[in-house]
Amino acid sequence: MRPSHFLLTSLAMVAAVPGGEWHPPNLTTESAKDLLLETGTCCAALSQALGAMVSYPGQHSFESSVASYWSVLERELSPSCVVTPNEKSDVSRAVFILRIGDEVFPGQCNFAVRSGGHTPFAGSANIESGTTIDLTKLRPIDVSADRTSNFEVVLASGEIVNANATSHPDLWRALKGGSNNFGIVTSLTMRTFPQGDFWGGFLVIDIAAIEQQFAAFEALLGNPDYDPYASLIFTLFWDAPTDVWATSYSMHYTKPMENPPAFRNFTSLPQLYGTMRTSNLTDFALELAVTNPSDHRDLFVTATCRNSAEMMAAIYRISQTIVAPLRSVPNIKLSISMQPQPAFLSRKSASTGGNAFGLNDEDEDLFNVLLTITWDRAEDDALVYRQARSLLDQLEAAARDLGVDHPYIYLNYAGPWQLDAIVAGYGAESVERLRETSRKYDPRGVFQRQVPGGFKLGI
Ligand SMILES: *[C@@H]1O[C@H](CO)[C@@H](O)[C@H](O)[C@H]1NC(C)=O
Ligand SMILES: *[C@@H]1O[C@H](CO)[C@@H](O)[C@H](O)[C@H]1NC(C)=O
Ligand SMILES: *[C@@H]1O[C@H](CO)[C@@H](O)[C@H](O)[C@H]1NC(C)=O
Ligand SMILES: *[C@@H]1O[C@H](CO)[C@@H](O)[C@H](O)[C@H]1NC(C)=O
């Protein structure tokens, strides 16, 4: 069970404006160069400009920042310094100095941008021997009074701009899927709606009825009148000590209606355990968080498939074949989650300005597959990665055989070796638009070259 930061975790970075003559108050290109030459390193120059917002190994704010990543794999990197900005102007000054720093000390001023810090693989939001900009002190989510949305972004030049439907609309669209390739998002204004109590919870259905569960999932997702209030995460769990599999659901219907028709094909099957109830979003979010404990090594790997119960059965079959060698890994947890991604979601996005995912007007019902493995010892990394790759390779081959493969890769769940495939999965047209947008807002390629974490646009 993972999900749910579907939107928020991807909001990391940004870019510059042609000419680059913009500079922050009290700093010019010349004075920044002087500062860098006087102090000798990017971190030291940042300390001069930002004072105690810059911290070093051994200092409390450095150590607590590094210790707060969800996955231990991210905590094992040691940046040269961590910048913890208090406000957007601090982010702007930091990016300005890091950009000029790369001119003065080429290759020595690389940086990472960290928002929630949930992506598990090393280097996605942290960096060895560079600067990590930790955004946790910014409280960037606003509720929009007029129900529109807007990104406030620090570009590679350091300039702060608004990207929305009427201001820099190309950048606005690129940020919906473009991750850390364009700038640092310092504030996000979202369209909202009131949400009262609703029905949902956690449900364990007897795995003896697995075929009926696959059929129920296919029928729910394939319903031409998909009920937009119905959301579920179906999970296959493997219990390593007993080598037993189980099926569970995180199931929510965002109206206060008990056991709605959309879910009855599931709820009519034999249940072993359940917490289904009417409650509020906070309560349900806390319940989901319990299934995502921190302090372990974690791997996510993902794929997207077209709606097919037969494919779900293939995923279960393949999963059973790769787990045997993993039984020797202490404290291993392995699960495979599947989430409906009905066609109406992309149609809805297209009607509100589109996105960079290449999923505009998608007319097919898809489902997301997420493999999650957690374990504790570094010496098991290679085995875990090997088995995960094997599962994904076999899964992709099975999807092709069944004609249900799809190139889209949901970036928040991508494994470290899937990054190039994310860009490819967006489709040639979307990638060309993203590259154009990058060249326009970041002509020097700061976010392509100096920010190595995450997927890059290949320019
Ligand atoms: C710019 O310098 C002035 C005068 O030294 C100072 O008062 C002000 O806080 C500085 N502004 C920034 C953004 O550092
Ligand atoms: C879009 O950006 C412009 C320019 O900064 C700003 O005036 C406007 O309020 C923004 N619109 C929204 C909906 O935030
Ligand atoms: C329940 O399953 C039946 C039989 O597969 C199917 O016809 C129906 O559409 C399903 N109902 C929903 C709401 O998914
Ligand atoms: C949400 O539900 C929990 C559990 O019933 C309750 O303790 C809490 O007060 C509720 N919060 C809100 C904001 O209603």
Side-chain angles (χ1 to χ4, degrees):
M1 342 259 322
R2 297 305 77 151
S4 77
H5 1 65
F6 244 65
L7 287 173
L8 297 184
T9 25
S10 42
L11 303 173
M13 334 285 209
V14 186
V17 151
E21 51 288 304
W22 186 90
H23 62 84
N26 298 5
L27 266 181
T28 62
T29 302
E30 285 315 309
S31 69
K33 279 186 179 160
D34 289 347
L35 181 64
L36 283 148
L37 289 168
E38 273 164 33
T39 54
T41 64
C42 259
C43 282
L46 289 165
S47 284
Q48 282 283 322
L50 297 167
M53 284 178 255
V54 183
S55 64
Y56 294 88
Q59 292 182 333
H60 175 73
S61 65
F62 178 98
E63 298 299 337
S64 66
S65 171
V66 172
S68 65
Y69 288 92
W70 178 63
S71 167
V72 168
L73 293 167
E74 273 285 64
R75 299 179 200 170
E76 287 177 352
L77 297 183
S78 189
S80 301
C81 60
V82 171
V83 180
T84 312
N86 291 319
E87 49 183 292
K88 61 188 174 187
S89 63
D90 304 327
V91 179
S92 158
R93 292 166 77 75
V95 171
F96 186 80
I97 289 169
L98 287 161
R99 175 171 67 77
I100 306 290
D102 189 62
E103 292 174 24
V104 179
F105 308 118
Q108 291 175 46
C109 296
N110 287 358
F111 60 104
V113 181
R114 180 248 164 97
S115 179
H118 188 267
T119 301
F121 61 85
S124 46
N126 198 6
I127 190 166
E128 185 68 34
S129 307
T131 299
T132 295
I133 302 178
D134 178 344
L135 302 174
T136 46
K137 280 203 179 147
L138 301 182
R139 288 273 167 260
I141 309 218
D142 285 332
V143 174
S144 159
D146 59 358
R147 295 162 50 106
T148 50
S149 64
N150 179 60
F151 295 103
E152 178 189 85
V153 187
V154 175
L155 300 174
S157 61
E159 188 179 3
I160 304 167
V161 301
N162 279 324
N164 59 53
T166 51
S167 159
H168 305 293
D170 47 357
L171 180 60
W172 177 60
R173 191 178 185 284
L175 287 167
K176 296 193 275 179
S179 189
N180 67 8
N181 283 288
F182 300 93
I184 301 180
V185 174
T186 49
S187 170
L188 170 64
T189 308
M190 287 178 85
R191 189 190 298 257
T192 57
F193 55 88
Q195 174 66 61
D197 284 1
F198 57 99
W199 191 75
F202 185 74
L203 191 62
V204 179
I205 294 179
D206 192 344
I207 195 162
I210 185 110
E211 295 299 332
Q212 294 95 312
Q213 297 181 58
F214 295 150
F217 188 104
E218 186 188 82
L220 173 85
L221 174 55
N223 190 329
D225 301 310
Y226 187 98
D227 184 339
Y229 296 97
S231 127
L232 64 80
I233 305 167
F234 165 62
T235 302
L236 283 158
F237 280 107
W238 176 61
D239 183 61
T242 57
D243 195 22
V244 164
W245 290 82
T247 44
S248 77
Y249 294 80
S250 179
M251 186 179 271
H252 298 94
Y253 193 77
T254 48
K255 275 184 185 174
M257 179 196 275
E258 244 178 71
N259 197 17
F263 289 144
R264 284 188 201 152
N265 284 339
F266 300 95
T267 55
S268 59
L269 296 172
Q271 302 176 14
L272 305 179
Y273 175 77
T275 65
M276 303 307 287
R277 63 203 182 278
T278 297
S279 189
N280 57 56
L281 184 60
T282 314
D283 186 36
F284 289 127
L286 289 173
E287 180 178 46
L288 192 60
V290 172
T291 66
N292 288 263
S294 171
D295 299 335
H296 301 284
R297 309 175 87 76
D298 303 274
L299 175 65
F300 287 167
V301 175
T302 189
T304 305
C305 300
R306 300 172 209 272
N307 189 16
S308 161
E310 206 182 342
M311 184 61 207
M312 297 177 79
I315 292 170
Y316 180 40
R317 218 167 32 242
I318 295 163
S319 305
Q320 288 170 289
T321 68
I322 63 103
V323 292
L326 297 173
R327 290 194 70 188
S328 63
V329 174
N331 205 19
I332 189 160
K333 307 252 179 333
L334 181 148
S335 65
I336 296 132
S337 297
M338 303 181 214
Q339 296 180 68
Q341 194 176 313
F344 83 84
L345 283 183
S346 33
R347 286 200 297 270
K348 189 84 187 164
S349 177
S351 76
T352 56
N355 58 65
F357 300 122
L359 288 177
N360 303 294
D361 282 327
E362 177 71 44
D363 57 3
E364 275 204 86
D365 297 313
L366 305 172
F367 67 98
N368 171 277
V369 185
L370 167 64
L371 166 68
T372 303
I373 308 181
T374 74
W375 70 105
D376 287 335
R377 303 189 315 187
E379 63 256 46
D380 296 319
D381 290 1
L383 174 65
V384 168
Y385 273 58
R386 194 157 61 237
Q387 295 311 101
R389 283 192 86 129
S390 167
L391 189 153
L392 185 69
D393 290 349
Q394 293 183 62
L395 186 157
E396 288 174 345
R400 282 192 298 270
D401 285 350
L402 292 170
V404 297
D405 56 313
H406 193 280
Y408 175 65
I409 292 175
Y410 175 55
L411 78 99
N412 285 10
Y413 297 164
W417 70 86
Q418 293 189 288
L419 299 177
D420 290 343
I422 294 176
V423 184
Y426 285 5
E429 189 195 328
S430 174
V431 172
E432 201 33 59
R433 273 175 92 159
L434 289 173
R435 288 178 178 158
E436 262 169 45
T437 307
S438 163
R439 283 189 282 262
K440 175 173 169 189
Y441 290 95
D442 182 9
R444 292 180 189 79
V446 169
F447 285 92
Q448 299 306 305
R449 291 180 297 104
Q450 277 183 259
V451 182
F455 76 88
K456 297 288 115 181
L457 300 174
I459 44 178

